[in-house]
Amino acid sequence: MGLRLFNTMGRTMQDFTPITPGFAGFYGCGPTVYNYAHIGNLRAYVFLDTLDRTLTFLGYDKKHVMNITDIGHLTGDADDGEDKMLRTAKERHASVLEVAQFYTDAFFKDFERLNIIRPDVVCRATDHVQEMIDLIKRIEANGHTYMAGGNLYYDVSTYSHYGDLAQLNLDELRAGAGKRDVVVVDSNKRNPHDFVLWFTKSKFENQVLTWDSPWGRGYPGWHIECSAMSMKYLGEHFDIHTGGIDHIPIHHTNEIAQSEGATGKKWVNYWLHNEFLVIAKDKKAAEAGETDKMSKSSGNFLTLSSLIDKGYDPLDYRFFLLGAHYRKQVYFSWEAMDGAKNARQALVQRVAKLAQAAGGSSSAGKEALLQGGSYKKGDAANPEALSEKARAYLAEFRAALENDLSTPVALSQLQKTVKDGSLSGGEALELVRRMDSVLGLRLAESAAELLSTPAAAADPHAGDPEAAEINALVAERTAAKKAKDFARSDAIRDQLAAKGIVITDTPQGPVWERK
């Protein structure tokens, strides 16, 4: 059916038609590097990675651009609040650029842990100030600006489509995401929705990073950074812009106004936004709506290192995120993480079993896993040389991705594939490789690592945190059956079924697996 995406601009599902056939250019808002990324922030980058991998899977050439905001960014989107970079530099007794480098390195370490592909272009704001100045000149030449109080403002009344993305009238839009009933007072502004393109008069003393400009020595507003850098690397009209839903009312709305105010033409064709991750005590609390938004400003956040310290693999968190559609709010709890951890481990164990079956032994299976797929870019979706059933699984997987990147359905197709005993081990492994090229769970590597452990050949559940407990119950059930204590045997079976464990009695004895 071809790729279809939900475009925030218009709130409709639309066929993806790239500007240049076969090529997709997309820009994703990157981090402001004043603190560690929390796991809610990282959801946006797993989503971006899914888009990146899907485009490759579907055969597109692509260019993925992401910015690093290392120039002071205010805590409010509407030119208000503290300077985040300056505040952290003072707290750490370091320079702003040292802070930026430290947290940039930490950010990309999280990328590696989550198996996120690094964007094709990563651009730092501090390296592109001249491009920002040049773009502001064009905006000014087109009559969209005014000077007041030493700062250069964008006059939103000069742009007739302001607020289209957020589907709000100008009178309804309030400065500040999530604070639409509050107007931030800035006596320099003609309209409370106007925003700063260039600061020369900062509310902060001794602003560290400043540059000469036609409007005086100062520094750029936050919004202009993304416009200038995306245009430098993708051109004045490109395919896709992504970000979190919190960017819709202010940041992305202002980006559109200034970009189209400079060029006089459409800037971006498709706007994609991921929903929030929120914290819940458990599943019951989530269903009751007892949740909190994760935020750095409130101190209510968890980092990826927090999960690792709790005994989770970063890929457990990636698996957790893939189980929800990017446009759906996802509820984080330790209970949910336990479920994701167990499900991912069960999937890895199944892949290890497939490899053993294909190779005839653990060592040969490990070799088969590490050989890698034979396909190249665009071939992952190619059904050639596959059986009819394998082609059907691959077609369903592809259809899920083409339906606005529906990772829950795609993940389900992968799980069905590895459970289908009618597929040959080798063919099933090939499907795993192709599907995991998008899901990014490192299944082959994880299964190979599992097969490297001495216990793997004897115990297919090695590494499962509950394996010892389950094995004991299965043994007790076997003893109960031999003693003709069928009530106890059935009770144990039901107890395990409640945990998602299925027991199959074979001539060689009972075997168990997770659903």
Side-chain angles (χ1 to χ4, degrees), residues 11-13 30 35 59 96 98 136 149 153 165-166 235 247 260 295 307 326 351 440 474 485 494 501 514:
R11 307 297 196 276
T12 58
M13 286 285 288
N35 203 337
V96 170
E98 286 172 339
I136 295 171
Y153 290 86
L165 182 69
H247 287 332
E260 298 188 358
S295 74
L307 303 191
Y326 77 89
V351 174
V474 171
D485 186 355
D494 294 342
I501 307 299
R514 295 184 182 275

Side-chain angles (χ1 to χ4, degrees), residues 462-478:
D464 189 311
E466 296 181 297
E469 176 190 348
I470 296 168
N471 285 335
L473 286 169
V474 171
E476 184 182 344
R477 174 181 175 271
T478 300

